[in-house]
Amino acid sequence: MAVSAALTQRAAMEKARCRLGIDTGRFVVLQLGRMAPHKGIDTVIRGLAMLRERHGVDAELIVASSDLRDPSRRGGPELARLRAVAADLGVTPHVRFSGQPARAALGDYYGAADAIASMPWRTRLGITTTEAMACGRPVVGSDAYAVRDGVTGYLIPSRDAEALAERLARLHRHPALALAMGKAGRAILAPGAMR
């Protein structure tokens, strides 16, 4: 049964990646939400660099933000700062900045990701994490709403890129664990489960 679920999820993931133009062989981390310093996207970029360098994982980060869709902002100074962080760490080719998709296309972004990163250090909203769990994806984050540590993902300290890289590497090394966490997230969000 678990093998069948893994194959079904892998096939759906490959279709989503094909629609988004993402390499099917890479480990994909998704960061979804507004671009603001307190969102901790710089920590996620640092975690990606450590994941690649220290753990040897061929990983890509997709930063999807509505700020990139707004022609009046185009990410503003925060995008420039994040691009500089990626450049300083030598991961520019492995970080994709994308406008946050319309609601109808969100499933492809979640479906293409191996894991979701959510590292805010000020606000704690659960939209991204609960959507990720509903899509069967493990979440690694700081104080991430609804995430149960070790069950549906991992809770780690904010601004701790090293912990982020270590947990993502663990999910990469143990795809069955990632699948089980995704399944647990869906179960927790099932009607009546969060009473």
Side-chain angles (χ1 to χ4, degrees):
M1 185 72 108
V3 172
S4 175
L7 290 175
T8 301
Q9 181 170 324
R10 178 54 64 184
M13 179 184 282
E14 287 179 7
K15 286 179 184 177
R17 288 183 179 192
C18 185
R19 285 189 290 269
L20 296 175
I22 298 170
D23 184 344
T24 58
R26 298 183 106 185
F27 185 80
V28 176
V29 179
L30 175 65
Q31 157 68 51
L32 185 74
R34 283 189 47 245
M35 282 193 164
H38 69 272
K39 292 291 187 177
I41 300 171
D42 54 344
T43 301
V44 179
I45 294 171
R46 287 183 181 88
L48 173 79
M50 290 179 190
L51 181 62
R52 294 184 60 79
E53 292 169 17
R54 295 182 186 177
H55 300 278
V57 177
D58 181 18
E60 174 179 347
L61 171 63
I62 299 172
V63 178
S65 174
S66 58
D67 295 335
L68 295 170
R69 255 194 355 227
D70 182 350
S72 67
R73 294 194 66 206
R74 293 284 182 221
E78 183 62 4
L79 176 60
R81 185 180 78 82
L82 294 172
R83 286 190 191 277
V85 169
D88 289 346
L89 295 168
V91 293
T92 297
H94 310 291
V95 179
R96 177 196 295 205
F97 292 95
S98 172
Q100 187 170 334
R103 300 278 331 148
L106 266 178
D108 277 345
Y109 278 78
Y110 286 116
D114 289 286
I116 311 304
S118 179
M119 296 295 292
W121 43 265
R122 193 174 73 200
T123 58
R124 183 179 181 236
L125 297 175
I127 297 168
T128 301
T129 55
T130 53
E131 285 177 344
M133 289 167 58
C135 291
R137 294 301 180 261
V139 178
V140 181
S142 57
D143 200 23
Y145 177 79
V147 173
R148 295 186 184 167
D149 189 41
V151 177
T152 63
Y154 295 108
L155 295 174
I156 58 175
S158 61
R159 301 178 182 168
D160 191 341
E162 191 169 337
L164 176 63
E166 191 280 323
R167 297 313 188 284
L168 291 172
R170 189 179 302 173
L171 292 172
H172 177 263
R173 283 190 314 269
H174 304 288
L177 173 63
L179 184 66
M181 286 181 164
K183 186 177 178 182
R186 263 198 223 122
I188 286 170
L189 294 178
M194 288 191 69
R195 289 182 190 180

